[in-house]
Amino acid sequence: MIGLLFPLPIVDAKEDKPGEVWIRVDLWKHKLYVMQGKQVKAQFPVGIGKEKTPTPIGKWFIVDKGKNWGGGFGPCWLGLNVPWGRFGIHGTNKPYSVGEHSSHGCLRILNANIKKIYKMVPLGSKVIIEGPLLGANETEKVSRSFRGQKGTLVLLIQNRLYHGGYYKGDLDGIFGRELEKAVLQFQKDHGLEKDGQVYIEEYLALGLLE
């Protein structure tokens, strides 16, 4: 079995504080947990991203809060600092979608529950999202990464090449020209085919496959 290794965190994070209130999301179980330190204070079912629009795995922070956005966002919104797109935790006008793979990457909560979460979790709180890196049913499938792609996998590649001294750009989850240059140099140094793309051989050399 080929599986991708996913060491958290892959983004810069604030220091954890004892007794802090934070959110943990388990994409496998479709559950959102409001935590205080290591204790579960409350748990709620959650709708997550579809196969082609996955929820971003990682360690994030709530950077904005809002109410009454209207439409499909329900009564409350908690925005996350995901660098490659607009993602958040919010209510929904489709309660049947909660507990399913139903969104474009956001986390959908029943309206009554998002009101509770909104009150419990302050601005700046951390949100750890755990789950399969390649989609709900694709943990054994390895995809090729190349310029133009965005997402958690690209962020993970950036992170490894950054710490290896190859990549000097932003850790933003966007496969741009600078990351392609870094990949080409990494391939040259490791005797790999120089095409600027990341596939099985590169994942293995980066220590991202087991």
Coordinates of all heavy atoms in Angstrom, one line a residue, residues 4 27-28 30 48-57 101 130-143 152-153:
L4 N 0.4 8.6 1.7 CA 1.0 9.8 1.9 C 1.2 10.1 3.4 O 0.2 10.0 4.1 CB 0.3 11.0 1.2 CG 0.6 11.2 -0.2 CD1 -0.5 11.9 -0.9 CD2 1.9 12.0 -0.4
L27 N -12.6 14.5 9.4 CA -13.3 14.4 8.2 C -13.7 12.9 7.9 O -14.7 12.7 7.2 CB -12.4 14.8 7.0 CG -12.0 16.3 7.0 CD1 -11.1 16.6 5.8 CD2 -13.2 17.2 7.1
W28 N -13.0 12.0 8.5 CA -13.4 10.6 8.4 C -14.8 10.3 9.0 O -15.6 9.6 8.5 CB -12.4 9.6 9.0 CG -11.1 9.5 8.2 CD1 -10.9 8.8 7.1 CD2 -9.8 10.0 8.6 NE1 -9.6 8.9 6.7 CE2 -8.9 9.6 7.6 CE3 -9.4 10.8 9.6 CZ2 -7.6 10.0 7.6 CZ3 -8.0 11.2 9.7 CH2 -7.2 10.8 8.7
H30 N -17.0 12.8 9.9 CA -17.9 13.9 9.7 C -18.3 14.5 11.0 O -19.5 14.8 11.3 CB -19.1 13.4 8.9 CG -18.8 13.0 7.5 ND1 -18.3 11.8 7.1 CD2 -19.0 13.7 6.3 CE1 -18.2 11.8 5.8 NE2 -18.6 12.9 5.3
I48 N -18.9 18.1 4.7 CA -17.5 18.4 4.3 C -17.4 18.5 2.8 O -18.4 18.3 2.0 CB -16.5 17.4 4.8 CG1 -16.7 16.0 4.2 CG2 -16.6 17.3 6.3 CD1 -15.7 15.0 4.5
G49 N -16.2 18.8 2.3 CA -16.0 19.0 0.8 C -16.3 17.8 0.0 O -16.0 16.6 0.4
K50 N -16.7 18.0 -1.2 CA -16.9 16.9 -2.2 C -15.5 16.4 -2.7 O -14.5 17.1 -2.4 CB -17.7 17.4 -3.4 CG -19.1 17.9 -3.1 CD -19.7 18.5 -4.3 CE -21.1 19.1 -4.0 NZ -21.7 19.7 -5.2
E51 N -15.5 15.3 -3.4 CA -14.3 14.7 -3.8 C -13.4 15.7 -4.6 O -12.2 15.8 -4.5 CB -14.6 13.5 -4.7 CG -13.4 12.5 -4.9 CD -13.2 11.7 -3.6 OE1 -14.1 11.5 -2.8 OE2 -12.0 11.3 -3.4
K52 N -14.0 16.5 -5.5 CA -13.3 17.4 -6.4 C -13.0 18.7 -5.7 O -12.3 19.6 -6.2 CB -14.0 17.6 -7.7 CG -14.0 16.3 -8.6 CD -14.7 16.5 -9.9 CE -14.7 15.3 -10.8 NZ -15.3 15.5 -12.1
T53 N -13.7 19.0 -4.6 CA -13.5 20.3 -3.9 C -13.3 20.0 -2.4 O -14.2 20.3 -1.6 CB -14.7 21.2 -4.1 OG1 -15.9 20.5 -3.7 CG2 -14.8 21.7 -5.5
P54 N -12.2 19.3 -2.0 CA -12.0 18.8 -0.7 C -11.8 19.9 0.4 O -11.4 21.0 0.1 CB -10.7 18.0 -0.8 CG -10.0 18.6 -1.9 CD -11.0 19.0 -2.9
T55 N -12.2 19.6 1.6 CA -11.9 20.5 2.7 C -10.4 20.5 3.0 O -9.8 19.5 3.0 CB -12.7 20.0 3.9 OG1 -14.1 20.0 3.7 CG2 -12.4 20.9 5.2
P56 N -9.8 21.7 3.2 CA -8.4 21.8 3.4 C -7.9 21.2 4.7 O -8.3 21.7 5.8 CB -8.1 23.3 3.3 CG -9.3 23.9 3.7 CD -10.4 23.0 3.2
I57 N -7.1 20.2 4.7 CA -6.5 19.6 5.9 C -5.4 20.5 6.4 O -4.7 21.1 5.6 CB -6.0 18.2 5.6 CG1 -7.1 17.3 5.1 CG2 -5.3 17.6 6.8 CD1 -6.6 16.0 4.5
H101 N -20.6 14.4 2.0 CA -19.6 15.1 1.2 C -20.4 16.1 0.3 O -20.9 15.7 -0.8 CB -18.8 14.1 0.4 CG -17.9 13.3 1.2 ND1 -16.6 13.6 1.5 CD2 -18.2 12.1 1.8 CE1 -16.1 12.6 2.2 NE2 -17.0 11.7 2.5
E130 N -8.4 17.2 10.3 CA -7.7 15.9 10.0 C -8.6 15.1 9.1 O -9.8 15.1 9.1 CB -7.5 15.1 11.3 CG -6.7 15.9 12.4 CD -6.8 15.3 13.7 OE1 -7.7 14.4 13.9 OE2 -6.0 15.6 14.6
G131 N -7.9 14.4 8.2 CA -8.6 13.5 7.2 C -7.7 13.0 6.1 O -6.5 13.3 6.1
P132 N -8.3 12.3 5.2 CA -7.5 11.8 4.0 C -7.0 12.9 3.1 O -7.8 13.7 2.7 CB -8.5 10.8 3.3 CG -9.9 11.4 3.7 CD -9.7 11.9 5.1
L133 N -5.8 12.8 2.8 CA -5.2 13.9 2.0 C -5.7 13.9 0.5 O -5.8 15.0 0.0 CB -3.7 13.7 2.0 CG -2.8 14.9 1.4 CD1 -3.1 16.2 2.2 CD2 -1.4 14.6 1.4
L134 N -6.0 12.8 0.0 CA -6.4 12.7 -1.4 C -7.8 12.6 -1.7 O -8.2 12.3 -2.8 CB -5.6 11.6 -2.1 CG -4.1 11.7 -2.1 CD1 -3.4 10.5 -2.7 CD2 -3.7 13.0 -2.9
G135 N -8.7 12.7 -0.7 CA -10.1 12.6 -0.9 C -10.7 11.5 -0.1 O -10.0 10.6 0.4
A136 N -12.0 11.4 0.0 CA -12.7 10.5 0.9 C -12.3 9.0 0.6 O -12.2 8.2 1.5 CB -14.2 10.7 0.8
N137 N -12.2 8.7 -0.7 CA -12.0 7.3 -1.0 C -10.7 7.0 -1.9 O -10.6 6.1 -2.6 CB -13.2 6.8 -1.8 CG -14.5 6.9 -1.1 OD1 -14.6 6.4 0.0 ND2 -15.5 7.6 -1.6
E138 N -9.7 8.0 -1.7 CA -8.6 7.9 -2.6 C -7.3 7.9 -1.8 O -6.3 8.3 -2.3 CB -8.6 9.0 -3.6 CG -9.8 9.0 -4.5 CD -9.7 10.0 -5.6 OE1 -8.7 10.8 -5.6 OE2 -10.6 10.0 -6.5
T139 N -7.2 7.3 -0.6 CA -6.0 7.4 0.2 C -4.9 6.5 -0.4 O -3.8 6.7 0.0 CB -6.3 6.9 1.7 OG1 -7.0 5.6 1.6 CG2 -7.2 7.9 2.4
E140 N -5.2 5.6 -1.3 CA -4.2 4.8 -1.9 C -3.8 5.3 -3.3 O -3.0 4.8 -4.0 CB -4.6 3.4 -2.0 CG -4.8 2.7 -0.6 CD -5.2 1.3 -0.8 OE1 -5.0 0.7 -1.8 OE2 -5.8 0.7 0.2
K141 N -4.5 6.4 -3.8 CA -4.2 6.9 -5.1 C -3.2 8.1 -4.9 O -3.4 9.0 -4.1 CB -5.5 7.4 -5.7 CG -5.2 7.9 -7.2 CD -6.5 8.6 -7.7 CE -7.6 7.6 -7.9 NZ -8.8 8.3 -8.5
V142 N -2.2 8.1 -5.8 CA -1.2 9.2 -5.7 C -1.4 10.0 -7.0 O -1.3 9.5 -8.1 CB 0.2 8.7 -5.6 CG1 1.2 9.8 -5.6 CG2 0.4 7.8 -4.4
S143 N -1.6 11.3 -6.9 CA -1.8 12.2 -8.0 C -0.5 13.0 -8.3 O 0.3 13.2 -7.4 CB -2.9 13.1 -7.8 OG -2.7 13.9 -6.6
T152 N -3.9 21.5 -0.3 CA -3.1 21.0 0.8 C -1.9 20.3 0.4 O -0.8 20.4 1.0 CB -4.0 20.1 1.7 OG1 -5.1 20.8 2.2 CG2 -3.2 19.6 2.9
L153 N -2.0 19.4 -0.7 CA -0.8 18.7 -1.1 C 0.3 19.6 -1.6 O 1.5 19.4 -1.3 CB -1.3 17.7 -2.2 CG -0.2 16.8 -2.8 CD1 0.5 16.0 -1.7 CD2 -0.8 15.8 -3.8

